């Protein structure tokens, strides 16, 4: 009995030191002995770029086949750089958007130059995970040699069968998309899931001054949780009460549609098209596995992310009951009541503990 008491105390101390929804269950003492009490739980945030599969189209949009010279907007007539897919030192394949640059050398994917002008220079970058994920921080895309003047970020929740715009980007939103430009700061709690067009990341400021394009997640969270995200209980309460909010941050696939490259703050100069192209050195997607609040761990198994389901649930997203519990109705867990939530199971959530 002394060992049981010590074990219960240790588990209680562990539960009190964990953050929101990191624990799926805890031992509690009752008149009938120690039992497991079940909580809503979710995995920690991870860098999902390590697990994403990247596809670039149309075919032939990646530079290097055949080899091609290019120059930069800062040095438009010094066109001595070359992209050559057959030379590892001069190749710029898609996988360089997600590699770790440990050597200090900058690596990046690059397209062909705008040699077919006036036809548009279009490129799609699709990212898939074969798993439902939930954004937990800003998506950050780093462009070399200038950010696109027009692009769209799309998302899919059904593994690429259908797509929906997440955000529009343009140096002139009215001209590109017939939309008034907005910032996330312009949004209110009532319309925080609104799809906007922003000019914040598309205007020319020099390719070395600001390379990043963001999809701002943290700023949306802060509308409910405060600028330093100190009131997370308010955010999680809104996740339960506001229709569509949880789904807004949920995705299985992302896609960037690059519609017009950086122009250097001028119109297209047709006498030198070798300076117009897209180049991406890094894509960061901070997210967690969506486990419907039924798991605190998500592991890579046989090449795919898989929730380690609790609460008698199963499936890649813990989206159904185990076979022996099929007579019961499955529900996603609830963030309420904070800070531990509720597993929302209709079958019993108390399981007697047996000590050997």
């Amino acid at each position: 009995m002394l060992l049981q008491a010590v074990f219960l105390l240790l588990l209680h101390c562990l539960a009190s030191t964990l953050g929101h929804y990191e624990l799926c269950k805890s031992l509690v003492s009752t008149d009938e002995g120690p039992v497991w009490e079940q909580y809503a739980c979710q995995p920690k945030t991870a860098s999902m770029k390590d697990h994403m599969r990247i596809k670039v189209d149309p075919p032939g949009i990646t530079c290097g086949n055949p080899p091609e010279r290019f120059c930069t907007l800062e040095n438009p007539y010094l066109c001595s750089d070359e992209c050559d897919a057959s030379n590892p030192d001069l190749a710029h394949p898609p996988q360089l958007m997600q590699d770790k640059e440990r050597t200090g050398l900058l690596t990046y994917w690059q397209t062909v130059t705008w040699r077919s002008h006036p036809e548009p220079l279009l490129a799609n970058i699709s990212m898939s995970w074969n798993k439902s994920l939930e954004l937990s921080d800003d998506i950050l895309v780093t462009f070399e040699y200038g950010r696109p003047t027009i692009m769209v970020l799309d998302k899919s929740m059904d593994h690429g069968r259908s797509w929906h715009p997440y955000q529009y980007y343009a140096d002139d939103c009215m001209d590109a998309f017939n939309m008034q430009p907005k910032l996330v700061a312009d949004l209110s709690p009532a319309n925080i899931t609104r799809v906007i067009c922003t000019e914040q990341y598309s205007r020319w400021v020099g390719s070395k001054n600001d390379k990043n394009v963001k999809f701002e997640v943290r700023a949306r969270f802060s509308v409910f949780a405060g600028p330093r995200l100190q009131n997370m209980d308010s955010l999680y309460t809104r996740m339960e009460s506001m229709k569509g909010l949880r789904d807004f941050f949920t995705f299985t696939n992302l896609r960037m549609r690059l519609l017009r490259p950086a122009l250097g703050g001028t119109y297209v100069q047709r006498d030198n098209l070798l300076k117009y192209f897209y180049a991406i050195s890094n894509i960061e997607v901070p997210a967690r596995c969506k486990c419907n609040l039924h798991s605190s761990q998500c592991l890579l198994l046989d090449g795919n992310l898989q929730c380690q389901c609790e609460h008698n649930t199963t499936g890649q997203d813990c989206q159904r009951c185990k076979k022996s519990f099929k007579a019961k109705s499955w529900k996603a867990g609830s963030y309420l009541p904070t800070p531990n939530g509720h597993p929302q199971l209709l079958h019993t959530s108390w399981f007697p503990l047996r000590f050997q």
Side-chain angles (χ1 to χ4, degrees):
M1 292 299 295
L2 178 60
L3 287 175
Q4 288 186 29
V6 172
F7 186 48
L8 282 168
L9 178 62
L10 288 174
L11 278 177
H12 178 75
C13 291
L14 175 63
S16 66
T17 59
L18 288 172
H20 279 71
Y21 311 107
E22 293 183 10
L23 198 65
C24 292
K25 58 187 177 183
S26 177
L27 278 174
V28 297
S29 180
T30 70
D31 293 341
E32 298 178 357
V35 295
W36 288 110
E37 187 176 38
Q38 305 291 312
Y39 309 125
C41 50
Q42 61 187 4
K44 292 182 178 180
T45 295
S47 175
M48 291 300 168
K49 84 168 187 178
D50 298 333
H51 306 300
M52 69 184 176
R53 300 172 177 91
I54 290 184
K55 178 185 176 184
V56 171
D57 65 283
I61 194 65
T62 299
C63 69
N65 187 20
E68 182 180 9
R69 290 187 305 112
F70 65 93
C71 42
T72 66
L73 291 164
E74 282 88 354
N75 297 296
Y77 298 103
L78 185 63
C79 301
S80 57
D81 293 317
E82 186 178 7
C83 180
D84 185 350
S86 65
N87 184 338
D89 294 329
L90 300 176
H92 298 284
Q95 59 264 32
L96 297 184
M97 287 186 270
Q98 63 184 126
D99 66 327
K100 293 180 172 60
E101 296 166 345
R102 297 189 180 93
T103 62
L105 296 175
L106 183 65
T107 61
Y108 52 91
W109 165 77
Q110 184 177 321
T111 69
V112 297
T113 59
W114 205 351
R115 58 195 179 196
S116 61
H117 186 274
E119 295 179 18
L121 181 61
L122 307 178
N124 287 345
I125 302 164
S126 301
M127 295 154 274
S128 62
W129 287 267
N130 195 32
K131 175 79 181 72
S132 295
L133 305 174
E134 295 175 314
L135 286 173
S136 54
D137 211 327
D138 298 345
I139 297 174
L140 185 67
V141 185
T142 304
F143 286 87
E144 305 298 329
Y145 305 112
R147 300 176 294 187
T149 53
I150 305 177
M151 67 170 275
V152 182
L153 177 66
D154 296 323
K155 79 162 185 174
S156 173
M157 295 178 64
D158 55 11
H159 304 282
R161 287 185 288 273
S162 63
W163 294 92
H164 307 279
Y166 232 165
Q167 190 151 294
Y168 296 92
Y169 302 81
D171 57 351
D172 187 330
C173 285
M174 283 299 297
D175 181 64
F177 300 113
N178 196 30
M179 297 174 68
Q180 289 288 345
K182 288 191 176 296
L183 301 174
V184 173
D186 297 329
L187 300 177
S188 68
N191 66 0
I192 199 66
T193 60
R194 180 177 178 180
V195 176
I196 65 172
C197 179
T198 179
E199 297 176 352
Q200 187 175 3
Y201 302 105
S202 304
R203 290 178 172 168
W204 177 251
V205 292
S207 64
K208 296 180 181 179
N209 291 335
D210 200 342
K211 301 179 177 183
N212 295 325
V213 172
K214 287 184 180 181
F215 178 72
E216 293 163 295
V217 173
R218 181 173 285 263
R220 286 176 168 85
F221 286 169
S222 69
V223 170
F224 305 114
R228 297 184 180 179
L229 303 185
Q230 293 177 326
N231 188 11
M232 292 299 289
D233 284 357
S234 175
L235 172 63
Y236 289 127
T237 299
R238 287 291 187 134
M239 287 285 191
E240 289 296 325
S241 62
M242 184 174 175
K243 184 178 180 180
L245 187 59
R246 285 168 76 167
D247 282 349
F248 181 77
F249 298 106
T250 299
F251 64 98
T252 59
N253 302 58
L254 296 172
R255 179 177 66 187
M256 285 186 291
R257 287 185 280 143
L258 309 181
L259 304 179
R260 192 173 70 193
L263 303 181
T266 65
Y267 295 103
V268 176
Q269 297 176 340
R270 301 187 182 191
D271 61 332
N272 186 6
L273 298 175
L274 300 183
K275 61 183 178 179
Y276 303 123
F277 53 89
Y278 306 103
I280 296 177
S281 59
N282 192 44
I283 301 175
E284 292 290 346
V285 184
R288 63 169 56 89
C289 290
K290 182 180 180 68
C291 301
N292 288 293
L293 295 177
H294 291 313
S295 174
S296 62
Q297 292 189 71
C298 189
L299 303 179
L300 190 66
L301 300 174
D302 298 323
N304 291 314
L305 291 167
Q306 169 73 54
C307 298
Q308 302 301 289
C309 301
E310 299 278 354
H311 309 149
N312 295 319
T313 62
T314 188
Q316 194 176 23
D317 300 342
C318 306
Q319 75 276 20
R320 60 181 183 272
C321 292
K322 283 184 176 179
K323 185 176 181 180
S324 56
F325 290 86
K326 279 191 174 180
K328 307 297 182 180
S329 296
W330 177 91
K331 284 187 178 181
S334 171
Y335 285 111
L336 300 179
T338 59
N340 294 319
H342 193 279
Q344 291 279 75
L345 302 181
L346 295 185
H347 53 78
T348 179
S349 59
W350 293 81
F351 301 95
L353 179 72
R354 295 181 180 179
F355 288 93
Q356 301 297 323

